[in-house]
Amino acid sequence: MSGLPIVLFDGTVYGMLLFLMSVGLSVTLGLMGVVNLAHGSFAAIGGFASVVLVHRLGVPFLLGVPLAALITAAIGGVLEAVLFRRLYRRGPLDQVLFTIGIVYVWIAVSTRIWGAGQQPADLPAFLQGQIALWPGAEVGAYRLFLLILGGVLAAGIFFGLERTRFGARVRAAQSDRDMAGGVGINVDRLFLLSFAIGAGLAGAGGALAIPVIGLDPSFPLKYLAFFLIVVSLGGPGTVTGSLVAALIVGIVDVAGKYYLPGAGGFLIYALVVAMLIWRPQGLVART
């Protein structure tokens, strides 16, 4: 398979990874109002945790990725309770300076521990090579796995926020934090759980992304702009908007590299400008 079909396929896979790594930022930004520029660090933590578990300790890949996500969620929960909770009543400038500082601390610490180079990616044999979908149409086994898994996780996230009591409480706190607390919702615990889940999803995305886009200590800065683009285009606090925006960004980025390699990132930023002029509140703005 070549040409347009492979561009659409690879772009959709890339978009799924962007969605997993950025949806937590969308939810926590819409829920808590915190401009968390350190969100990419959680994706990197999940990636490095996966490297340690799978590459160094020999944990099977399909077990190592969810374990890395759980480790990242636990770290995210601790950091929310110890550090991020202090930012909820602070201004955007304090939030930006604090969270970007966390990114540089992470880069320094991870470089000291793992070095500055790219990390290895160990895939099981059944996820290597190509799979023939039909005669003449072959796709990478791992990319097909990512597409299916990303779809399942996206459906699970949507169901969790739209069809459960926890999701109803999250939406209530998004609409009016003080009123939610007044009717008996434990907002602090809700924030901690939401932050931890968002960090865990980012960690899972970072672990899964290693064979596709690589991993090094500067990962949080390299992809920070993409995370913010997905959130701003989709609309903060919306899962559906983040998914649609991530797929659009992924397909446009891959298509630009395939058809117009000399344009660099121009197409992405031109897309952002055009879409924000058209929909300044995002594709799926909260009412």
Side-chain angles (χ1 to χ4, degrees):
M1 186 165 61
S2 59
L4 182 59
I6 197 63
V7 168
L8 293 175
F9 179 80
D10 286 347
T12 302
V13 171
Y14 182 39
M16 282 293 187
L17 289 174
L18 288 177
F19 168 72
L20 291 177
M21 290 187 285
S22 62
V23 65
L25 175 60
S26 177
V27 173
T28 53
L29 178 60
L31 174 63
M32 305 172 188
V34 176
V35 185
N36 180 17
L37 299 186
H39 185 76
S41 298
F42 294 113
I45 289 172
F48 278 98
S50 175
V51 169
V52 172
L53 291 168
V54 177
H55 183 71
R56 299 189 180 182
L57 300 181
V59 177
F61 179 81
L62 295 182
L63 177 61
V65 170
L67 285 177
L70 289 175
I71 291 171
T72 309
I75 293 174
V78 171
L79 291 179
E80 193 279 338
V82 175
L83 296 178
F84 285 89
R85 190 167 296 180
R86 304 173 185 271
L87 295 177
Y88 298 157
R89 301 296 187 182
R90 306 294 292 269
L93 180 59
D94 291 337
Q95 297 171 5
V96 167
L97 293 176
F98 181 82
T99 55
I100 201 67
I102 290 178
V103 172
Y104 284 104
V105 170
W106 160 257
I107 291 175
V109 170
S110 57
T111 301
R112 180 69 179 85
I113 296 174
W114 288 286
Q118 289 287 324
Q119 297 301 306
D122 294 335
L123 289 175
F126 71 91
L127 290 178
Q128 300 177 18
Q130 302 287 314
I131 292 180
L133 298 180
W134 58 82
E138 292 186 345
V139 297
Y142 185 66
R143 292 176 184 267
L144 182 61
F145 167 78
L146 289 179
L147 183 61
I148 296 172
L149 179 62
V152 171
L153 290 177
I157 296 168
F158 179 83
F159 179 83
L161 287 179
E162 299 294 335
R163 298 291 186 269
T164 66
R165 178 172 294 186
F166 173 78
R169 291 175 176 176
V170 169
R171 297 195 306 275
Q174 283 179 332
S175 299
D176 193 322
R177 173 180 175 176
D178 294 330
M179 181 63 72
V183 298
I185 296 176
N186 189 328
V187 177
D188 288 339
R189 184 172 63 184
L190 184 69
F191 279 13
L192 189 150
L193 289 174
S194 300
F195 195 94
I197 292 171
L201 289 170
L208 293 168
I210 300 175
V212 179
I213 60 178
L215 176 69
D216 60 56
S218 63
F219 183 92
L221 279 182
K222 285 182 180 179
Y223 291 93
L224 174 60
F226 284 91
F227 301 153
L228 294 176
I229 286 171
V230 169
V231 173
S232 61
L233 286 184
T238 67
V239 175
T240 304
S242 294
L243 177 60
V244 174
L247 293 177
I248 291 174
V249 170
I251 291 172
V252 170
D253 188 46
V254 171
K257 292 175 181 177
Y258 187 87
Y259 293 110
L260 298 170
F266 172 77
L267 289 179
I268 290 294
Y269 296 107
L271 171 71
V272 172
V273 171
M275 295 193 72
L276 289 181
I277 291 175
W278 173 51
R279 299 278 293 182
Q281 301 303 317
L283 294 173
V284 185
R286 289 167 52 204
T287 56

